[in-house]
Amino acid sequence: MTDGGKPPIKDWATDFDHTHPDYARKAPEVWEELRQTCPVAHTERFGGTWLPVRHADVSAIAHDTEHFSSEGVIVNEFKPENLAPIGYAPPITSDPPFHQMARRLLLPAFAPKEIDRWEPATRKACNDLIDDLLAGGATEVDAAVQYAQHIPVRVIAEMLGVPEEDGDKFRTFIHRVLEAPGEGIGELPYEETLDYYLRQVIEDHRQHPRDDLIGFLLNAEMDGNPLTDDHITGTVALLLIAGIDTTWSAIGASLWHLAQRPDHRKRLIEDPDVMVFAVEELLRAYAPVTMARIVAKETEVGGVTMKERDWVLLPFPAANRDPEAFERPDEVILDRTRNRHVAFGLGIHRCLGSNLARMELRTAIEEWMRRIPDFELADPDAVRWSTGQVRGPRELPVRILATAGSR
Amino acid sequence: MRVRLDSEKCQGHGRCYALAPDLFESDDEGYSVLKITGDVPAELEEAARLAADNCPEFAIELDEG
């Protein structure tokens, strides 16, 4: 394994690096170690960053918008400055009171009733992908590369009204923003940047108006005024980036889990009623998203003093494995009935797309299990986990042991 | 049993109306709305407990009476 060119970690409590391949491989072990020793880790990297791992600390920070700003949500060498309260991708980068206006604009499009409309298209996308996977009687396939990564791309492309064929481009942008933040910026020709792509897509919608989310944003008003170009571009960037590798990670991690648990595969097939709990339990155990904040005013959390402008990571997956908040946190209990998991965050920035993500995850597991009820990891050592603030398998070779049904 | 929904704490996670659709529903923005007033019918008490036990924001309180 390579170290991605990053300096080795001296010790997780004082020198952690969430973009290091070691973290990607064994994050749950790191959180467990820190919970018992720290419990708020620090690193000098990225200009000084904190990593709380207890549910209570993560919750306190997520609910405290007075001391913690969302001006920066991706920890990297370049810390946004003077962008609050709007930020570069509203509403995720916005603070009150602007945040609420920008968020309310989008909430109806992501409410359960609206999201239900997208389920048939999602189910079709899953089956198209499975048809391709199984074509020619393949027995070894990559569940992340050939399945999980495409599902959210197809759905969000249709919601936004951008070509599904641009999926490879989206994944490149996402890798730059989330997995290798800040690396290699400034070396790219403008025509290859996310900003250029977004401006092209938005201009195309202006020229050819249509009834999709970008069309909606172009016509939307806040306080009686149309949205600014920067607001529209930032929000489209958010919807594109936040909706893809997060859900792809959750689908991939769930299939990684099921590939190793014949008992859980059997349970899902024989007892479909367990699905409503199983989806949430898989989200708890394999929550992909760690958010971040910038300290707005010096404050104390978990016994440490955080100074103005420090970065703070909010590892929701670590909170989900805190024994103070969950019984037997490291076990996946498919029918767990007390599950206040925080995979979608806490407080005013609760994931806008949570209903969409949940629908995609449930549908992706249902269709996979219906058509590929038996499978296992082809090579556990070949599974590669992403680095950075979104954690999930990027390569997941599985061996198909049985197929069933048809589309 | 009585059930109370704290709308100040609710952030629209949607766990309650998924688990207890006879007691809670979504408004147009995804926030939860309590559908009943007064006592929880006996046959819905289990659903009420599920909703309370799965709210990430601790926005649902039960008074088991």
Side-chain angles (χ1 to χ4, degrees), chain A residues 293-319:
Chain A
R293 298 285 187 266
I294 294 173
V295 178
K297 276 188 221 164
E298 182 172 307
T299 188
E300 202 185 298
V301 177
V304 304
T305 302
M306 299 179 177
K307 296 233 167 19
E308 200 174 315
R309 299 286 298 158
D310 284 352
W311 281 114
V312 186
L313 283 163
L314 281 182
F316 296 116

Side-chain angles (χ1 to χ4, degrees), chain A residues 63 104 337 339-340 347 350, chain B residues 11-13 29 52 54 57:
Chain A
H63 285 108
R104 290 194 72 168
T337 51
N339 190 354
R340 301 179 194 263
R350 185 268 305 167
Chain B
Q11 296 292 350
H13 289 260
E29 296 183 340
N54 287 277
E57 304 286 354

Side-chain angles (χ1 to χ4, degrees), chain A residues 121-165:
Chain A
T122 307
R123 212 169 282 283
K124 177 180 180 302
C126 293
N127 278 288
D128 289 347
L129 290 164
I130 295 172
D131 285 347
D132 289 348
L133 275 184
L134 298 178
T139 53
E140 263 195 43
V141 300
D142 193 312
V145 175
Q146 292 173 264
Y147 187 65
Q149 73 169 355
H150 299 288
I151 297 163
V153 171
R154 294 193 180 183
V155 179
I156 202 74
E158 204 171 327
M159 287 179 80
L160 284 171
V162 298
E164 176 193 315
E165 298 75 49

Side-chain angles (χ1 to χ4, degrees), chain A residues 91-144:
Chain A
I92 201 171
T93 57
S94 309
D95 291 328
F98 179 87
H99 165 266
Q100 197 196 3
M101 291 188 290
R103 181 176 170 92
R104 290 194 72 168
L105 208 62
L106 297 169
L107 279 171
F110 290 91
K113 248 180 287 174
E114 279 301 302
I115 291 306
D116 286 349
R117 295 197 298 126
W118 296 97
E119 187 176 323
T122 307
R123 212 169 282 283
K124 177 180 180 302
C126 293
N127 278 288
D128 289 347
L129 290 164
I130 295 172
D131 285 347
D132 289 348
L133 275 184
L134 298 178
T139 53
E140 263 195 43
V141 300
D142 193 312

Side-chain angles (χ1 to χ4, degrees), chain A residues 73-317:
Chain A
V73 291
I74 307 291
V75 170
N76 69 94
E77 299 293 345
F78 305 92
K79 196 178 287 174
E81 217 173 335
N82 302 321
L83 296 178
I86 299 173
Y88 55 85
I92 201 171
T93 57
S94 309
D95 291 328
F98 179 87
H99 165 266
Q100 197 196 3
M101 291 188 290
R103 181 176 170 92
R104 290 194 72 168
L105 208 62
L106 297 169
L107 279 171
F110 290 91
K113 248 180 287 174
E114 279 301 302
I115 291 306
D116 286 349
R117 295 197 298 126
W118 296 97
E119 187 176 323
T122 307
R123 212 169 282 283
K124 177 180 180 302
C126 293
N127 278 288
D128 289 347
L129 290 164
I130 295 172
D131 285 347
D132 289 348
L133 275 184
L134 298 178
T139 53
E140 263 195 43
V141 300
D142 193 312
V145 175
Q146 292 173 264
Y147 187 65
Q149 73 169 355
H150 299 288
I151 297 163
V153 171
R154 294 193 180 183
V155 179
I156 202 74
E158 204 171 327
M159 287 179 80
L160 284 171
V162 298
E164 176 193 315
E165 298 75 49
D166 289 352
D168 286 342
K169 272 188 205 163
F170 306 165
R171 282 185 290 270
T172 306
F173 299 141
I174 289 164
H175 175 77
R176 283 188 214 140
V177 173
L178 294 176
E179 296 181 8
E183 290 173 25
I185 282 180
E187 294 159 23
L188 288 168
Y190 179 62
E191 289 73 18
E192 287 175 28
T193 62
L194 172 62
D195 191 62
Y196 176 81
Y197 177 78
L198 294 173
R199 287 181 196 277
Q200 297 285 109
V201 163
I202 292 167
E203 187 50 35
D204 184 57
H205 275 75
R206 279 193 213 279
Q207 300 297 328
H208 313 279
R210 37 209 202 259
D211 182 21
D212 50 37
L213 264 175
I214 294 177
F216 165 79
L217 287 169
L218 288 172
N219 291 316
E221 288 188 353
M222 231 172 64
D223 267 356
N225 298 309
L227 307 186
T228 64
D229 280 359
D230 282 349
H231 185 158
I232 294 170
T233 313
T235 296
V236 176
L238 165 63
L239 297 176
L240 194 62
I241 293 213
I244 294 182
D245 77 335
T246 49
T247 311
W248 153 21
S249 296
I251 296 169
S254 299
L255 293 175
W256 175 78
H257 173 86
L258 291 170
Q260 300 169 82
R261 291 296 296 265
D263 55 330
H264 284 179
R265 295 198 293 276
K266 190 159 177 271
R267 178 83 191 269
L268 287 185
I269 291 163
E270 290 175 358
D271 179 11
D273 290 346
V274 83
M275 195 54 130
V276 64
F277 298 105
V279 165
E280 303 301 327
E281 176 65 347
L282 290 163
L283 281 166
R284 183 193 66 82
Y286 304 111
V289 180
T290 290
M291 279 306 300
R293 298 285 187 266
I294 294 173
V295 178
K297 276 188 221 164
E298 182 172 307
T299 188
E300 202 185 298
V301 177
V304 304
T305 302
M306 299 179 177
K307 296 233 167 19
E308 200 174 315
R309 299 286 298 158
D310 284 352
W311 281 114
V312 186
L313 283 163
L314 281 182
F316 296 116

